[in-house]
């Protein structure tokens, strides 16, 4: 399970301070030292860890906290609040355009789970919000990607817009939006091309789609299992495209947690959804507070 090592270590660390009737500055320093090591081992970005620890120290080494009736618990509360803030604080919502359809552009590297997540997101929008999405196959370089989206469309009994591999992605997106208007699809989810690595051609193409289509959301799909790489990918995509949110996939695997804990701090963009498996119903809204509780026990 994800975060297992991190959760074990943080829980045993906070356990030591939990029941203490008196907490000294030294106790807090010891705790933060252990928390720092646990986060670094979980592959959390170095600078993110540094700032996080600084904030905990500032808030926990405080007269009001240390002289309270339950200082141990107060310190733990600080850790939990800061962990929640680190992962984005409030749960963030999905956009709804003033004028239908709401357009969502899915971007990410090949293999991150972009196409699967396109299907999962459509499923979630229908099930939870009673929406009627149109899926759009704009990855014109890989016929397999188009087929994959069409298969997902069949499984979900949802329309998929495709013009094959010969058309230009901007035209595909524009025509898909027209079709959505005619057929009363209130969400258009565009599955764009991925590459093995961040490259300039890909970014230029995505920027063109963005400029022309003006999507309401640009979701970057990243694989949580890739740790710091996921964070670097998020940084590059955000610089080039000013994404609106991140979908973290494969959180059902044994990821150490680094990506989940660093992405918001590094990009200042929220993690909106988490992929929890390969199946079409295994996508969840990302709740920072619940995730923090899961990690801290
Ligand atoms: P794309 O190249 O980014 O479009 O990636 P795909 O959608 O084809 O997904 C790549 C692989 O990751 C597939 O085998 C998916 O089933 C798998 N996958 C996607 N999301 C998840 C997830 O949340 N959990 C797990 N375990 N597998 C996932």
């Amino acid at each position: 399970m994800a975060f297992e090592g991190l959760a074990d270590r943080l829980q045993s660390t906070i356990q030591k301070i939990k029941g203490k009737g008196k907490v000294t500055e030294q106790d807090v320093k010891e705790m933060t030292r252990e928390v720092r090591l646990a986060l670094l081992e979980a592959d959390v970005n170095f600078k993110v860890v540094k700032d996080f620890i600084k904030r905990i120290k500032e808030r926990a080494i405080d007269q009001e906290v240390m002289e309270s009736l339950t200082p141990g618990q107060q310190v733990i509360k600080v850790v939990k609040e800061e962990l929640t803030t680190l992962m984005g604080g409030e749960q963030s919502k999905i956009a709804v355009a003033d004028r239908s359809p709401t357009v969502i552009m899915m971007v990410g590297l090949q293999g991150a789970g972009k196409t699967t997540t396109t299907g999962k997101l459509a499923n979630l929008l229908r099930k939870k919000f009673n929406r009627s999405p149109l899926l759009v196959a704009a990855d014109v370089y890989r016929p397999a990607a188009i087929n994959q989206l069409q298969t997902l469309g069949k499984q979900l009994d949802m329309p998929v817009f495709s013009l094959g591999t010969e058309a230009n992605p901007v035209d595909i997106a524009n025509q898909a939006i027209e079709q959505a208007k005619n057929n009363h699809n209130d969400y258009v989810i565009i599955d764009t091309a991925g590459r093995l690595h961040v490259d300039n051609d890909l970014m230029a193409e995505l920027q063109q789609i963005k400029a022309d289509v003006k999507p309401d959301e640009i979701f970057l799909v990243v694989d949580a299992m890739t740790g710091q790489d996921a964070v670097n990918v998020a940084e590059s995509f955000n610089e080039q495209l000013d994404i609106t949110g991140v979908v973290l996939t494969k959180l059902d695997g044994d990821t150490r947690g680094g990506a989940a804990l660093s992405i918001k701090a590094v990009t200042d963009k929220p993690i909106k959804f988490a992929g929890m498996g390969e199946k079409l119903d295994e996508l969840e809204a990302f709740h920072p507070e619940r995730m923090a509780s899961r990690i801290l026990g």
Side-chain angles (χ1 to χ4, degrees), residues 47-185:
K47 180 154 186 310
V48 171
V49 175
K50 199 171 152 208
D51 292 347
F52 180 74
I53 295 297
K54 187 165 161 247
R55 276 196 306 278
I56 291 185
K57 274 192 191 153
E58 269 167 17
R59 287 187 58 196
I61 302 175
D62 171 277
Q63 221 168 2
E64 215 174 298
V65 170
M66 307 227 278
E67 288 175 4
S68 77
L69 284 175
T70 51
Q73 281 173 26
Q74 294 303 316
V75 170
I76 291 166
K77 189 162 161 260
V78 167
V79 176
K80 189 163 169 194
E81 282 171 6
E82 288 297 333
L83 195 62
T84 303
T85 305
L86 186 64
M87 287 189 285
E90 292 273 298
Q91 187 212 339
S92 96
K93 300 270 185 308
I94 194 162
V96 184
D98 293 337
R99 255 196 248 157
S100 194
T102 302
V103 178
I104 301 176
M105 203 175 143
M106 306 294 289
V107 300
L109 295 185
Q110 215 166 295
K114 186 162 39 61
T115 304
T116 313
T117 304
T118 301
K120 286 177 173 177
L121 183 60
N123 190 31
L124 190 84
L125 283 167
R126 179 171 64 188
K127 262 198 180 155
K128 278 236 159 120
F129 303 99
N130 213 11
R131 300 289 181 174
S132 156
L134 172 66
L135 307 179
V136 184
D139 182 354
V140 293
Y141 308 102
R142 289 196 315 134
I146 300 180
N147 294 339
Q148 192 187 344
L149 196 66
Q150 278 164 338
T151 306
L152 290 173
K154 277 203 194 96
Q155 282 171 20
L156 292 165
D157 193 20
M158 266 184 208
V160 175
F161 185 91
S162 163
L163 294 176
T165 53
E166 296 304 314
N168 167 319
V170 174
D171 294 338
I172 297 175
N174 281 322
Q175 289 189 38
I177 293 168
E178 279 314 303
Q179 179 179 310
K181 283 181 189 159
N182 293 333
N183 294 353
H184 305 290
N185 294 113

Side-chain angles (χ1 to χ4, degrees), residues 97 101-105 177 186-190 213-217:
T102 302
V103 178
I104 301 176
M105 203 175 143
I177 293 168
D186 46 14
Y187 272 82
V188 171
I189 313 179
I190 307 171
V213 168
K214 302 192 175 55
D216 302 287
E217 296 269 21

Side-chain angles (χ1 to χ4, degrees), residues 107-118 120 139 142 145 148 152 191-195 221-223 225 247-253 274-279 282-283:
V107 300
L109 295 185
Q110 215 166 295
K114 186 162 39 61
T115 304
T116 313
T117 304
T118 301
K120 286 177 173 177
D139 182 354
R142 289 196 315 134
Q148 192 187 344
L152 290 173
D191 185 25
T192 63
R195 296 274 204 285
V221 179
V222 291
D223 178 344
M225 300 288 289
V247 181
L248 209 51
T249 62
K250 309 185 197 182
L251 267 185
D252 50 309
M276 304 299 294
E278 296 194 72
K279 296 204 201 81
E282 289 177 314
L283 183 74

Side-chain angles (χ1 to χ4, degrees), residues 36 42 81 198 210 217:
R36 180 175 169 276
E81 282 171 6
V198 173
K210 177 185 174 183
E217 296 269 21

Side-chain angles (χ1 to χ4, degrees), residues 217-236:
E217 296 269 21
I218 302 179
F219 286 160
L220 172 68
V221 179
V222 291
D223 178 344
M225 300 288 289
T226 60
Q228 279 310 297
D229 274 346
V231 181
N232 296 335
V233 166
E235 226 180 344
S236 324

